[in-house]
Amino acid sequence: MNDFEKSRGFWGSRAGFVIAAAGSAIGLGNIWKFPYITGQHGGGAFVIVYLICIVLIGIPIMLAEFTIGRKTHKNPVGAYKNIHPAGLWFLVGGMGVLAGFMILSFYSVVAGWTIAYVVRSIFMLVTQFETAADAGKYFGNFASNPFEALLFHTIFMSLCISIVIKGVRSGIEKSCDILMPTLLFILVLLVIRSLTLKGAWAGVVFYLKPEFSKLTAQGVLVALGHAFFSLSLGMGAMITYGSYLSKKENLASSALIVGALDTVIALLAGLMIFPAVFAMGLEPSAGPGLVFHVLPAVFSKMPFGNIVSIAFFTLLAIAALTSGISLLEVVVAYFIDEIRWSRKKAVLIVGSVIFILGIPSALSFGAFGEYKLFGMNFFDIVDHIASNYLLPLGGLLICVFVAWVWGPKPALEEIHIGEHKFPFAGGWVFLVKYISPVAVGIILIAKLMGK
Ligand code: TRP
């Protein structure tokens, strides 16, 4: 390792790395999206399919990303160049950096809403609704107000910038060490609150009772796509986080722990949301509007709903923040390694550009909402391109790269450094060679066909 590699930063401990990677994985995807797609696609049956996708496809790809990162101690572009200097593989890394730019720009808008709802909860403004329709109308007015949408987008990006600028160890690791336990603590309290409400059991049944008749091929695709997004795969976020890990740490068990943590938090999020929705006699099937339309109405009816609301939106904001910093770090790492900018310069410039790119997304629910392409506003377009195409394509190519270009042998050598046992080596190679790329390829084709 040369001096530059040493100077780009390191995790202080393996626990710090695992917590930060879990922070990247655990995001709005777990707390906002996972519960409602589970509700839509067959409850327990969907959960079983999701678990299979996490184990057979998600965790193996995560390990592939960690391995590339730790081998090279580089950002995604540099990592591909380092392992395979010939050809165009570095472009796969470039696609990841681009996806990071795009995802953070709209992620920040939604994250901004969650912070705004913390503030509004403190002033008792989001817990005074009779019905979900009232809460939904209120949300519509809120999201279309350009002043607030921009203000909270600015606040969220500033928070990400202020953490990432302090570096890997004193910025990202330190903040995740505080934020992630806080997240777990709030989540557990809210799950207990929810499960102890009268009538909560109906929600548990709705959420987890396997209904295989509701599980469709579409549901399987959704499970696979979500496993991917939820674990932050496909754009090199885990390459970047792996690049700050020292050679003595165990890659395989880290991937397993991060995957398990991400899944447990997603499952708990459902156990927090559905029992409360049922206990308050509201409709669970609200889809994406669940968090901002239905839950405020649920909190309005609940004893001490105001405090629950503050806790819930704080939880969402924390989850979004630890994911947001990972998205920013991918892009920043590129400019530090490849263009040799200082961390400060990279964070300030990249953060500002992402902030600017987010402005039309922030305004997509009001002033800019009329500008549409294929029926989608700016926010939807950026989300659609990055999440549906760039990420799966990136994930597919990561598998092909590790299994077929770099080769399983050198990859396994990297995993085995430090004499760590990896009893699933053969299975992992098989999955990354055949199963994961085919599965991810199928999602990509299905998305291309508009399914
Ligand atoms: N995994 C995060 C979530 O569940 C989102 C996210 C953060 C992400 N970083 C990523 C997704 C990198 C893909 C790639 O909300």
Side-chain angles (χ1 to χ4, degrees), residues 349-384:
I349 295 181
V350 168
S352 310
V353 173
I354 295 178
F355 167 73
I356 293 168
L357 183 64
I359 292 175
S361 285
L363 300 179
S364 282
F365 301 85
F368 270 30
E370 290 151 34
Y371 298 102
K372 286 196 171 161
L373 202 65
F374 307 115
M376 291 185 284
N377 61 31
F378 190 87
F379 178 105
D380 297 331
I381 294 171
V382 180
D383 176 14
H384 182 75

mmCIF file of all heavy atoms in Angstrom, residues 349-384:
data_model
loop_
_atom_site.group_PDB
_atom_site.id
_atom_site.type_symbol
_atom_site.label_atom_id
_atom_site.label_comp_id
_atom_site.label_asym_id
_atom_site.label_seq_id
_atom_site.Cartn_x
_atom_site.Cartn_y
_atom_site.Cartn_z
ATOM 1 N N ILE A 349 -17.657 20.463 -3.728
ATOM 2 C CA ILE A 349 -18.085 20.594 -5.120
ATOM 3 C C ILE A 349 -19.137 19.534 -5.465
ATOM 4 O O ILE A 349 -20.210 19.854 -5.983
ATOM 5 C CB ILE A 349 -16.873 20.512 -6.088
ATOM 6 C CG1 ILE A 349 -15.965 21.720 -5.849
ATOM 7 C CG2 ILE A 349 -17.350 20.467 -7.540
ATOM 8 C CD1 ILE A 349 -14.746 21.790 -6.736
ATOM 9 N N VAL A 350 -18.852 18.268 -5.136
ATOM 10 C CA VAL A 350 -19.788 17.197 -5.476
ATOM 11 C C VAL A 350 -21.124 17.424 -4.759
ATOM 12 O O VAL A 350 -22.200 17.320 -5.360
ATOM 13 C CB VAL A 350 -19.195 15.822 -5.086
ATOM 14 C CG1 VAL A 350 -20.248 14.736 -5.157
ATOM 15 C CG2 VAL A 350 -18.020 15.481 -5.976
ATOM 16 N N GLY A 351 -21.056 17.758 -3.483
ATOM 17 C CA GLY A 351 -22.288 17.998 -2.720
ATOM 18 C C GLY A 351 -23.117 19.106 -3.350
ATOM 19 O O GLY A 351 -24.340 18.993 -3.465
ATOM 20 N N SER A 352 -22.442 20.170 -3.798
ATOM 21 C CA SER A 352 -23.196 21.280 -4.390
ATOM 22 C C SER A 352 -23.832 20.871 -5.709
ATOM 23 O O SER A 352 -24.977 21.244 -5.996
ATOM 24 C CB SER A 352 -22.284 22.485 -4.652
ATOM 25 O OG SER A 352 -21.558 22.773 -3.501
ATOM 26 N N VAL A 353 -23.087 20.124 -6.512
ATOM 27 C CA VAL A 353 -23.649 19.721 -7.806
ATOM 28 C C VAL A 353 -24.867 18.807 -7.584
ATOM 29 O O VAL A 353 -25.903 18.950 -8.241
ATOM 30 C CB VAL A 353 -22.585 19.024 -8.688
ATOM 31 C CG1 VAL A 353 -23.221 18.473 -9.950
ATOM 32 C CG2 VAL A 353 -21.472 20.000 -9.040
ATOM 33 N N ILE A 354 -24.762 17.878 -6.641
ATOM 34 C CA ILE A 354 -25.897 16.991 -6.368
ATOM 35 C C ILE A 354 -27.074 17.814 -5.839
ATOM 36 O O ILE A 354 -28.231 17.592 -6.210
ATOM 37 C CB ILE A 354 -25.504 15.889 -5.366
ATOM 38 C CG1 ILE A 354 -24.451 14.974 -5.999
ATOM 39 C CG2 ILE A 354 -26.728 15.078 -4.933
ATOM 40 C CD1 ILE A 354 -23.936 13.879 -5.107
ATOM 41 N N PHE A 355 -26.760 18.773 -5.011
ATOM 42 C CA PHE A 355 -27.820 19.646 -4.498
ATOM 43 C C PHE A 355 -28.554 20.324 -5.657
ATOM 44 O O PHE A 355 -29.780 20.339 -5.720
ATOM 45 C CB PHE A 355 -27.221 20.696 -3.554
ATOM 46 C CG PHE A 355 -28.179 21.797 -3.237
ATOM 47 C CD1 PHE A 355 -29.255 21.560 -2.388
ATOM 48 C CD2 PHE A 355 -28.032 23.052 -3.816
ATOM 49 C CE1 PHE A 355 -30.177 22.561 -2.113
ATOM 50 C CE2 PHE A 355 -28.947 24.056 -3.549
ATOM 51 C CZ PHE A 355 -30.019 23.814 -2.702
ATOM 52 N N ILE A 356 -27.786 20.841 -6.614
ATOM 53 C CA ILE A 356 -28.412 21.554 -7.744
ATOM 54 C C ILE A 356 -29.244 20.593 -8.593
ATOM 55 O O ILE A 356 -30.371 20.892 -8.978
ATOM 56 C CB ILE A 356 -27.322 22.264 -8.593
ATOM 57 C CG1 ILE A 356 -26.701 23.385 -7.757
ATOM 58 C CG2 ILE A 356 -27.911 22.819 -9.888
ATOM 59 C CD1 ILE A 356 -25.428 23.971 -8.346
ATOM 60 N N LEU A 357 -28.687 19.397 -8.819
ATOM 61 C CA LEU A 357 -29.434 18.402 -9.596
ATOM 62 C C LEU A 357 -30.736 18.021 -8.888
ATOM 63 O O LEU A 357 -31.731 17.660 -9.534
ATOM 64 C CB LEU A 357 -28.554 17.156 -9.785
ATOM 65 C CG LEU A 357 -29.120 16.026 -10.634
ATOM 66 C CD1 LEU A 357 -29.321 16.490 -12.072
ATOM 67 C CD2 LEU A 357 -28.186 14.805 -10.624
ATOM 68 N N GLY A 358 -30.749 18.110 -7.578
ATOM 69 C CA GLY A 358 -31.952 17.759 -6.822
ATOM 70 C C GLY A 358 -33.036 18.820 -6.880
ATOM 71 O O GLY A 358 -34.202 18.532 -6.577
ATOM 72 N N ILE A 359 -32.675 20.049 -7.251
ATOM 73 C CA ILE A 359 -33.676 21.138 -7.221
ATOM 74 C C ILE A 359 -34.901 20.819 -8.093
ATOM 75 O O ILE A 359 -36.032 20.890 -7.612
ATOM 76 C CB ILE A 359 -33.027 22.494 -7.587
ATOM 77 C CG1 ILE A 359 -32.060 22.895 -6.466
ATOM 78 C CG2 ILE A 359 -34.092 23.577 -7.787
ATOM 79 C CD1 ILE A 359 -31.265 24.158 -6.748
ATOM 80 N N PRO A 360 -34.697 20.440 -9.371
ATOM 81 C CA PRO A 360 -35.906 20.109 -10.143
ATOM 82 C C PRO A 360 -36.690 18.938 -9.559
ATOM 83 O O PRO A 360 -37.927 18.912 -9.681
ATOM 84 C CB PRO A 360 -35.369 19.772 -11.536
ATOM 85 C CG PRO A 360 -33.900 19.798 -11.466
ATOM 86 C CD PRO A 360 -33.481 20.461 -10.207
ATOM 87 N N SER A 361 -36.027 17.988 -8.897
ATOM 88 C CA SER A 361 -36.765 16.904 -8.247
ATOM 89 C C SER A 361 -37.595 17.442 -7.092
ATOM 90 O O SER A 361 -38.743 17.056 -6.891
ATOM 91 C CB SER A 361 -35.813 15.835 -7.707
ATOM 92 O OG SER A 361 -35.309 15.061 -8.751
ATOM 93 N N ALA A 362 -36.976 18.355 -6.340
ATOM 94 C CA ALA A 362 -37.693 18.917 -5.192
ATOM 95 C C ALA A 362 -38.923 19.685 -5.658
ATOM 96 O O ALA A 362 -39.928 19.762 -4.950
ATOM 97 C CB ALA A 362 -36.769 19.831 -4.393
ATOM 98 N N LEU A 363 -38.818 20.255 -6.855
ATOM 99 C CA LEU A 363 -39.942 21.063 -7.354
ATOM 100 C C LEU A 363 -40.912 20.233 -8.193
ATOM 101 O O LEU A 363 -41.887 20.763 -8.717
ATOM 102 C CB LEU A 363 -39.408 22.241 -8.177
ATOM 103 C CG LEU A 363 -38.493 23.201 -7.404
ATOM 104 C CD1 LEU A 363 -37.997 24.312 -8.314
ATOM 105 C CD2 LEU A 363 -39.200 23.787 -6.196
ATOM 106 N N SER A 364 -40.645 18.938 -8.320
ATOM 107 C CA SER A 364 -41.458 18.089 -9.192
ATOM 108 C C SER A 364 -42.884 17.913 -8.706
ATOM 109 O O SER A 364 -43.742 17.460 -9.439
ATOM 110 C CB SER A 364 -40.821 16.707 -9.332
ATOM 111 O OG SER A 364 -39.758 16.754 -10.233
ATOM 112 N N PHE A 365 -43.106 18.208 -7.431
ATOM 113 C CA PHE A 365 -44.449 17.989 -6.896
ATOM 114 C C PHE A 365 -45.232 19.283 -6.844
ATOM 115 O O PHE A 365 -46.325 19.353 -6.328
ATOM 116 C CB PHE A 365 -44.334 17.332 -5.519
ATOM 117 C CG PHE A 365 -43.597 16.041 -5.637
ATOM 118 C CD1 PHE A 365 -42.213 16.005 -5.603
ATOM 119 C CD2 PHE A 365 -44.288 14.876 -5.890
ATOM 120 C CE1 PHE A 365 -41.528 14.821 -5.790
ATOM 121 C CE2 PHE A 365 -43.621 13.686 -6.077
ATOM 122 C CZ PHE A 365 -42.236 13.659 -6.033
ATOM 123 N N GLY A 366 -44.619 20.354 -7.400
ATOM 124 C CA GLY A 366 -45.307 21.635 -7.441
ATOM 125 C C GLY A 366 -44.984 22.320 -8.752
ATOM 126 O O GLY A 366 -45.377 21.859 -9.821
ATOM 127 N N ALA A 367 -44.166 23.366 -8.650
ATOM 128 C CA ALA A 367 -43.900 24.221 -9.797
ATOM 129 C C ALA A 367 -43.485 23.476 -11.077
ATOM 130 O O ALA A 367 -43.919 23.814 -12.167
ATOM 131 C CB ALA A 367 -42.805 25.216 -9.414
ATOM 132 N N PHE A 368 -42.651 22.441 -10.919
ATOM 133 C CA PHE A 368 -42.132 21.751 -12.101
ATOM 134 C C PHE A 368 -42.961 20.540 -12.518
ATOM 135 O O PHE A 368 -42.622 19.840 -13.453
ATOM 136 C CB PHE A 368 -40.708 21.246 -11.821
ATOM 137 C CG PHE A 368 -39.639 22.236 -12.174
ATOM 138 C CD1 PHE A 368 -39.877 23.596 -12.099
ATOM 139 C CD2 PHE A 368 -38.388 21.801 -12.570
ATOM 140 C CE1 PHE A 368 -38.888 24.507 -12.401
ATOM 141 C CE2 PHE A 368 -37.386 22.699 -12.882
ATOM 142 C CZ PHE A 368 -37.638 24.059 -12.791
ATOM 143 N N GLY A 369 -44.005 20.276 -11.758
ATOM 144 C CA GLY A 369 -44.766 19.051 -11.953
ATOM 145 C C GLY A 369 -45.340 18.892 -13.342
ATOM 146 O O GLY A 369 -45.592 17.783 -13.806
ATOM 147 N N GLU A 370 -45.526 20.039 -14.038
ATOM 148 C CA GLU A 370 -46.157 19.926 -15.360
ATOM 149 C C GLU A 370 -45.191 19.464 -16.435
ATOM 150 O O GLU A 370 -45.601 18.998 -17.479
ATOM 151 C CB GLU A 370 -46.719 21.283 -15.789
ATOM 152 C CG GLU A 370 -47.915 21.678 -14.964
ATOM 153 C CD GLU A 370 -48.031 23.182 -14.873
ATOM 154 O OE1 GLU A 370 -47.667 23.863 -15.858
ATOM 155 O OE2 GLU A 370 -48.454 23.659 -13.814
ATOM 156 N N TYR A 371 -43.903 19.615 -16.173
ATOM 157 C CA TYR A 371 -42.952 19.194 -17.199
ATOM 158 C C TYR A 371 -42.777 17.692 -17.122
ATOM 159 O O TYR A 371 -42.166 17.169 -16.199
ATOM 160 C CB TYR A 371 -41.612 19.899 -16.997
ATOM 161 C CG TYR A 371 -41.737 21.379 -17.118
ATOM 162 C CD1 TYR A 371 -41.766 22.195 -15.998
ATOM 163 C CD2 TYR A 371 -41.885 21.975 -18.370
ATOM 164 C CE1 TYR A 371 -41.924 23.569 -16.108
ATOM 165 C CE2 TYR A 371 -42.047 23.345 -18.497
ATOM 166 C CZ TYR A 371 -42.065 24.134 -17.357
ATOM 167 O OH TYR A 371 -42.220 25.489 -17.476
ATOM 168 N N LYS A 372 -43.351 17.004 -18.096
ATOM 169 C CA LYS A 372 -43.310 15.551 -18.016
ATOM 170 C C LYS A 372 -42.765 14.929 -19.284
ATOM 171 O O LYS A 372 -42.945 15.451 -20.376
ATOM 172 C CB LYS A 372 -44.717 15.010 -17.772
ATOM 173 C CG LYS A 372 -45.155 15.260 -16.356
ATOM 174 C CD LYS A 372 -46.341 14.436 -15.970
ATOM 175 C CE LYS A 372 -46.553 14.606 -14.488
ATOM 176 N NZ LYS A 372 -47.854 14.239 -14.035
ATOM 177 N N LEU A 373 -42.100 13.783 -19.097
ATOM 178 C CA LEU A 373 -41.600 13.014 -20.230
ATOM 179 C C LEU A 373 -42.089 11.592 -20.001
ATOM 180 O O LEU A 373 -41.900 11.049 -18.902
ATOM 181 C CB LEU A 373 -40.066 13.074 -20.179
ATOM 182 C CG LEU A 373 -39.301 12.821 -21.459
ATOM 183 C CD1 LEU A 373 -39.590 13.914 -22.482
ATOM 184 C CD2 LEU A 373 -37.805 12.796 -21.148
ATOM 185 N N PHE A 374 -42.728 10.992 -20.958
ATOM 186 C CA PHE A 374 -43.325 9.650 -20.791
ATOM 187 C C PHE A 374 -44.198 9.583 -19.546
ATOM 188 O O PHE A 374 -44.187 8.600 -18.818
ATOM 189 C CB PHE A 374 -42.256 8.551 -20.692
ATOM 190 C CG PHE A 374 -41.269 8.557 -21.815
ATOM 191 C CD1 PHE A 374 -39.929 8.833 -21.584
ATOM 192 C CD2 PHE A 374 -41.689 8.306 -23.125
ATOM 193 C CE1 PHE A 374 -39.017 8.857 -22.632
ATOM 194 C CE2 PHE A 374 -40.777 8.318 -24.164
ATOM 195 C CZ PHE A 374 -39.449 8.600 -23.929
ATOM 196 N N GLY A 375 -44.883 10.659 -19.253
ATOM 197 C CA GLY A 375 -45.772 10.652 -18.086
ATOM 198 C C GLY A 375 -45.067 10.747 -16.746
ATOM 199 O O GLY A 375 -45.696 10.606 -15.712
ATOM 200 N N MET A 376 -43.751 10.969 -16.780
ATOM 201 C CA MET A 376 -43.041 11.035 -15.502
ATOM 202 C C MET A 376 -42.493 12.434 -15.280
ATOM 203 O O MET A 376 -42.023 13.079 -16.224
ATOM 204 C CB MET A 376 -41.862 10.052 -15.510
ATOM 205 C CG MET A 376 -42.290 8.599 -15.500
ATOM 206 S SD MET A 376 -40.881 7.506 -15.368
ATOM 207 C CE MET A 376 -40.207 7.579 -17.009
ATOM 208 N N ASN A 377 -42.539 12.898 -14.032
ATOM 209 C CA ASN A 377 -41.899 14.172 -13.735
ATOM 210 C C ASN A 377 -40.389 13.945 -13.551
ATOM 211 O O ASN A 377 -39.908 12.816 -13.612
ATOM 212 C CB ASN A 377 -42.541 14.849 -12.528
ATOM 213 C CG ASN A 377 -42.431 14.012 -11.261
ATOM 214 O OD1 ASN A 377 -41.478 13.279 -11.091
ATOM 215 N ND2 ASN A 377 -43.417 14.125 -10.402
ATOM 216 N N PHE A 378 -39.665 15.020 -13.304
ATOM 217 C CA PHE A 378 -38.204 14.947 -13.235
ATOM 218 C C PHE A 378 -37.748 13.952 -12.162
ATOM 219 O O PHE A 378 -36.883 13.113 -12.384
ATOM 220 C CB PHE A 378 -37.635 16.338 -12.943
ATOM 221 C CG PHE A 378 -36.145 16.418 -13.082
ATOM 222 C CD1 PHE A 378 -35.571 16.681 -14.315
ATOM 223 C CD2 PHE A 378 -35.313 16.217 -11.987
ATOM 224 C CE1 PHE A 378 -34.187 16.750 -14.455
ATOM 225 C CE2 PHE A 378 -33.934 16.277 -12.115
ATOM 226 C CZ PHE A 378 -33.377 16.546 -13.350
ATOM 227 N N PHE A 379 -38.379 14.061 -11.005
ATOM 228 C CA PHE A 379 -38.078 13.163 -9.890
ATOM 229 C C PHE A 379 -38.205 11.700 -10.325
ATOM 230 O O PHE A 379 -37.305 10.883 -10.115
ATOM 231 C CB PHE A 379 -39.065 13.468 -8.757
ATOM 232 C CG PHE A 379 -38.930 12.609 -7.534
ATOM 233 C CD1 PHE A 379 -38.359 13.126 -6.381
ATOM 234 C CD2 PHE A 379 -39.409 11.305 -7.507
ATOM 235 C CE1 PHE A 379 -38.256 12.355 -5.234
ATOM 236 C CE2 PHE A 379 -39.306 10.527 -6.370
ATOM 237 C CZ PHE A 379 -38.728 11.052 -5.232
ATOM 238 N N ASP A 380 -39.349 11.365 -10.942
ATOM 239 C CA ASP A 380 -39.584 9.976 -11.351
ATOM 240 C C ASP A 380 -38.579 9.510 -12.393
ATOM 241 O O ASP A 380 -38.154 8.352 -12.386
ATOM 242 C CB ASP A 380 -40.988 9.815 -11.960
ATOM 243 C CG ASP A 380 -42.073 10.117 -10.950
ATOM 244 O OD1 ASP A 380 -41.829 9.902 -9.753
ATOM 245 O OD2 ASP A 380 -43.159 10.584 -11.355
ATOM 246 N N ILE A 381 -38.209 10.416 -13.298
ATOM 247 C CA ILE A 381 -37.289 10.023 -14.371
ATOM 248 C C ILE A 381 -35.922 9.655 -13.802
ATOM 249 O O ILE A 381 -35.354 8.611 -14.126
ATOM 250 C CB ILE A 381 -37.132 11.167 -15.408
ATOM 251 C CG1 ILE A 381 -38.461 11.380 -16.134
ATOM 252 C CG2 ILE A 381 -36.032 10.856 -16.413
ATOM 253 C CD1 ILE A 381 -38.488 12.611 -17.007
ATOM 254 N N VAL A 382 -35.414 10.510 -12.920
ATOM 255 C CA VAL A 382 -34.093 10.244 -12.343
ATOM 256 C C VAL A 382 -34.131 8.931 -11.564
ATOM 257 O O VAL A 382 -33.256 8.064 -11.692
ATOM 258 C CB VAL A 382 -33.648 11.409 -11.426
ATOM 259 C CG1 VAL A 382 -32.282 11.122 -10.837
ATOM 260 C CG2 VAL A 382 -33.609 12.709 -12.206
ATOM 261 N N ASP A 383 -35.196 8.761 -10.769
ATOM 262 C CA ASP A 383 -35.360 7.535 -9.986
ATOM 263 C C ASP A 383 -35.415 6.318 -10.914
ATOM 264 O O ASP A 383 -34.731 5.311 -10.713
ATOM 265 C CB ASP A 383 -36.653 7.664 -9.164
ATOM 266 C CG ASP A 383 -36.974 6.396 -8.380
ATOM 267 O OD1 ASP A 383 -36.087 5.539 -8.268
ATOM 268 O OD2 ASP A 383 -38.103 6.279 -7.887
ATOM 269 N N HIS A 384 -36.231 6.432 -11.952
ATOM 270 C CA HIS A 384 -36.462 5.337 -12.874
ATOM 271 C C HIS A 384 -35.163 4.901 -13.572
ATOM 272 O O HIS A 384 -34.812 3.723 -13.578
ATOM 273 C CB HIS A 384 -37.492 5.822 -13.902
ATOM 274 C CG HIS A 384 -37.880 4.793 -14.912
ATOM 275 N ND1 HIS A 384 -38.711 3.749 -14.613
ATOM 276 C CD2 HIS A 384 -37.558 4.669 -16.219
ATOM 277 C CE1 HIS A 384 -38.880 3.020 -15.695
ATOM 278 N NE2 HIS A 384 -38.196 3.548 -16.677
#
